[in-house]
Amino acid sequence: MRGDGDGWVVGENGTRHWGKHGAAGLLLRAPSADGEPTVLLQHRALWSHQGGTWALPGGAKDSHESSVVAAVREADEEAGIGSERLHVRGEKVTARFSSGWSYTTVFADAEAQLNTTPNGESTELRWVPEVMVDQLPLHPGFAASWPALRTEPLRVLLDTANVLGSRPDGWWKDRSGATKALLASLADILPRTVELPGGSFGWLKEIEAVLEGEARAAQFEDVRIPIFHASASGDDELARRAHEGSALTALVTADRGLRERLPTTVHVLSPSTVLGWLD
């Protein structure tokens, strides 16, 4: 079953929106050569609604589709990127009207800038540095939602012992080996988009791991995971580092005592959230 979503929804004031069951678009990020985020944008064909503007690949949802399925399908149809190399991170309703029509932005990452093949709805497809997106003539709907979707550089501190301790997988039998395995797994999923508590977004290039006790014997080197050895308490080292700098910061821990020692500007991510990134 396909294709029953095409059509206009007309509001009481005559405003028209495409998609009988709403619409969805794909906000796809990929790192540039230096690891900074770029966004895949579509220069809309002049014949299309709001033609000549830049927006996300996307379109009408069919009645049987989720927003994620619709956004990925539409992006493949319009940009030829497939779905095999995409990692969907989440979704967010970015427009809603009294007519019942809504638009959902699905955000996803690719490990590198994918090759694209435009169809007739595009005059160009381009990987645009995220910091330059709002310099283009944007589709009005995308322009309105973009400030809430853009990322900031994100610094993440890892309470490594607490994260390891959250899984009863025998880590205590070989703390240094379990630490090395965890850090290697985390390195493999960077860089990436992270949705923070409250709904804002960060671009994560590296994770600062604090090691204490026996875990300090872990032999691991990767520029994506800088390692810091705590001379005494890991919590003391994490709290100290959390008070340094002015960048957008998050700390991964379930330790209530440590959480109470953090600046109010620091976001807290649960171990289960970060371990979920590995799935």
Side-chain angles (χ1 to χ4, degrees):
M1 179 179 175
R2 260 290 325 269
D4 67 348
D6 289 349
W8 295 97
V9 174
V10 182
E12 294 180 359
N13 61 357
T15 303
R16 300 191 307 163
H17 295 99
W18 181 252
K20 294 180 179 179
H21 309 290
L26 185 70
L27 174 51
L28 180 61
R29 290 186 176 89
S32 62
D34 59 1
E36 298 303 319
T38 62
V39 177
L40 179 61
L41 294 185
Q42 173 197 53
H43 197 194
R44 297 168 65 85
L46 290 176
W47 60 263
S48 66
H49 184 57
Q50 300 290 349
T53 61
W54 291 83
L56 303 177
K61 293 169 54 178
D62 291 335
S63 60
H64 64 288
E65 290 183 312
S66 67
S67 295
V68 170
V69 169
V72 172
R73 172 183 58 77
E74 285 283 342
D76 185 35
E77 291 176 1
E78 297 176 1
I81 55 176
S83 61
E84 299 80 9
R85 298 176 65 188
L86 307 184
H87 304 281
V88 174
R89 305 304 191 194
E91 59 184 278
K92 190 172 191 174
V93 176
T94 47
R96 192 187 301 275
F97 292 84
S98 58
S99 63
W101 186 90
S102 64
Y103 186 94
T104 301
T105 300
V106 174
F107 44 100
D109 297 330
E111 295 176 6
Q113 295 177 354
L114 307 180
N115 293 328
T116 60
T117 303
N119 68 358
E121 298 181 40
S122 311
T123 60
E124 182 185 356
L125 294 161
R126 184 189 304 178
W127 288 99
V128 179
E130 184 162 342
V131 294
M132 299 180 63
V133 167
D134 54 12
Q135 298 179 25
L136 296 171
L138 301 180
H139 182 284
F142 179 47
S145 63
W146 175 240
L149 295 170
R150 65 191 310 163
T151 65
E152 293 183 53
L154 175 63
R155 177 188 182 219
V156 166
L157 303 170
L158 184 72
D159 185 351
T160 312
N162 189 263
V163 174
L164 278 175
S166 69
R167 297 188 296 183
D169 57 1
W171 59 268
W172 55 86
K173 300 175 184 177
D174 180 8
R175 296 194 182 197
S176 62
T179 297
K180 179 179 178 179
L182 172 64
L183 300 184
S185 296
L186 290 172
D188 285 344
I189 60 169
L190 298 178
R192 59 165 292 142
T193 302
V194 174
E195 185 173 12
L196 294 167
S200 60
F201 296 91
W203 179 252
L204 182 60
K205 295 171 61 176
E206 63 178 35
I207 296 174
E208 300 176 25
V210 171
L211 307 186
E212 62 181 349
E214 296 176 18
R216 291 180 295 179
Q219 299 297 311
F220 181 78
E221 292 187 13
D222 192 304
V223 295
R224 295 168 293 183
I225 311 285
I227 292 176
F228 301 91
H229 290 169
S231 57
S233 164
D235 284 4
D236 289 346
E237 178 68 14
L238 287 159
R240 183 186 68 80
R241 299 190 66 82
H243 281 83
E244 293 180 344
S246 58
L248 177 66
T249 301
L251 193 148
V252 185
T253 189
D255 188 314
R256 182 174 300 178
L258 175 57
R259 292 169 64 174
E260 292 174 351
R261 299 171 61 184
L262 302 178
T264 57
T265 55
V266 172
H267 295 274
V268 176
L269 301 176
S270 69
S272 61
T273 295
V274 174
L275 292 173
W277 298 349
L278 306 179
D279 294 339

